[in-house]
Amino acid sequence: MRPARSAEPLTVIVTGGARGLGFEMAHALLEAGARVLITSTRRHAELLLAAEKLRQAVPGAEVETVVANASNWADCELTAQTCLQRWGKIDGLVNNAGRGMREISDNFNLKPVHFWEASPEGLQEIVRANVMSTMLMARACLPHMVTQGFGRIVNLSTNSVTMTRRGFTPYGASKAAVEAMSMAWSSELSDLGVNVNVLLPGGATDTEFIPGEGSARKGADGQLLSPRLMRKPIVWLMSHECDSTGQRYIAKDWPDELPMALGAEKANTARGALPQIM
């Protein structure tokens, strides 16, 4: 049975919310009336500036900040406790924090990287930031969601072709792991009021993940998408109206002109479209 809908605003944690996709999703959630806690790693001044920009863009917005490394368990606990102390609940978690191939190469988008030539530190950092941060933040937030009988988790992923793309190890593999965890969690939580879904832009986005300048600054497919395309999907996926769980949504395929539920149908990826990894 679904718990009665609360009149209180939703309370959502967005990791890596100081810039890029995280900032745009936090902005959209605030515009939709949510209270939002954003995190960033080792960038306190940038985090405070982002929060101020959000308050200016959305007058009256309730924004909290935590400097936290989401791949560190103590920081994850701190983030969850800060949210609970400020607002008394955790309704949603957007696992956006992560690292890309720039940890290994500054021109990976132009020249494929041989993972056996990459620094071990870079390889480990990508896996920690993408896989462990997703798992540990969910571990910190889920007990509270389960207790209240309601929760929304959205894990950020990448194009299915990137998971096995030449020169994208370990980034692609780390996101395959995130998708596998998401599907397992959705099954485990299906009767507990917590939905778990995957959201991806649908291509490289115009963020710090992509190196270069001018014509050299492009994704593997030659294009860069606007981070703003994440706004509508995240509002729907965090909402009480969204009943879906264990699904995968591509933001660039989400038509702005359609009502939320119909847009979600258009953006939903068939599970069979994922690479078959044996």
Side-chain angles (χ1 to χ4, degrees):
M1 179 182 296
R2 182 191 296 180
R5 178 171 178 172
S6 171
E8 276 193 88
L10 293 174
T11 297
V12 182
I13 296 171
V14 180
T15 64
R19 58 171 64 184
L21 302 183
F23 183 88
E24 294 297 337
M25 289 187 286
H27 189 170
L29 288 164
L30 289 166
E31 284 187 328
R35 299 161 172 165
V36 178
L37 183 153
I38 58 174
T39 74
S40 181
T41 304
R42 301 186 303 275
R43 291 174 177 148
H44 191 226
E46 179 185 69
L47 188 59
L48 293 178
L49 179 60
E52 185 56 32
K53 286 181 178 178
L54 289 169
R55 294 186 186 103
Q56 291 176 1
V58 186
E62 293 189 61
V63 185
E64 183 60 84
T65 63
V66 178
V67 176
N69 181 344
S71 63
N72 178 282
W73 171 239
D75 285 3
C76 293
E77 284 188 300
L78 172 64
T79 301
Q81 287 304 316
T82 300
C83 189
L84 289 168
Q85 289 168 7
R86 175 71 186 271
W87 294 306
K89 62 190 180 108
I90 303 172
D91 296 313
L93 168 64
V94 182
N95 271 315
N96 168 71
R99 300 288 182 183
M101 290 298 293
R102 290 193 75 170
E103 297 296 315
I104 291 173
S105 168
D106 273 334
N107 67 342
F108 73 91
N109 55 331
L110 302 177
K111 182 181 179 181
V113 179
H114 296 148
F115 84 90
W116 61 88
E117 296 174 346
S119 74
E121 293 79 12
L123 296 173
Q124 291 178 83
E125 178 59 22
I126 291 172
V127 173
R128 275 196 300 265
N130 295 351
V131 180
M132 292 308 301
S133 67
T134 298
M135 188 184 306
L136 291 178
M137 276 304 306
R139 171 63 182 83
C141 295
L142 270 170
H144 309 286
M145 294 180 177
V146 170
T147 296
Q148 69 190 16
F150 175 84
R152 299 286 185 264
I153 295 179
V154 171
N155 296 326
L156 272 286
S157 187
T158 191
N159 277 350
S160 56
V161 67
T162 302
M163 294 178 187
T164 54
R165 187 191 296 275
R166 178 173 178 259
F168 274 73
T169 298
Y171 177 75
S174 73
K175 290 302 185 178
V178 167
E179 297 220 17
M181 291 190 300
S182 301
M183 295 309 104
W185 300 350
S186 69
S187 176
E188 293 176 44
L189 294 159
S190 61
D191 297 326
L192 299 174
V194 181
N195 294 349
V196 183
N197 291 293
V198 169
L199 177 63
L200 55 142
T205 52
D206 190 7
T207 65
E208 64 173 343
F209 271 51
I210 304 300
E213 296 180 0
S215 60
R217 193 166 185 273
K218 57 187 178 182
D221 60 359
Q223 301 180 9
L224 283 180
L225 301 171
S226 169
R228 293 174 62 92
L229 55 75
M230 305 294 281
R231 289 187 173 195
K232 196 165 186 177
I234 201 61
V235 170
W236 167 250
L237 290 170
M238 284 288 134
S239 71
H240 283 272
E241 287 72 23
C242 176
D243 285 329
S244 67
T245 190
Q247 302 300 309
R248 184 178 194 264
Y249 295 93
I250 300 179
K252 77 171 184 178
D253 294 339
W254 197 299
D256 281 337
E257 67 277 8
L258 292 181
M260 286 287 200
L262 292 178
E265 288 182 17
K266 294 287 186 181
N268 198 334
T269 306
R271 298 307 303 174
L274 290 174
Q276 299 301 305
I277 304 170
M278 304 299 290

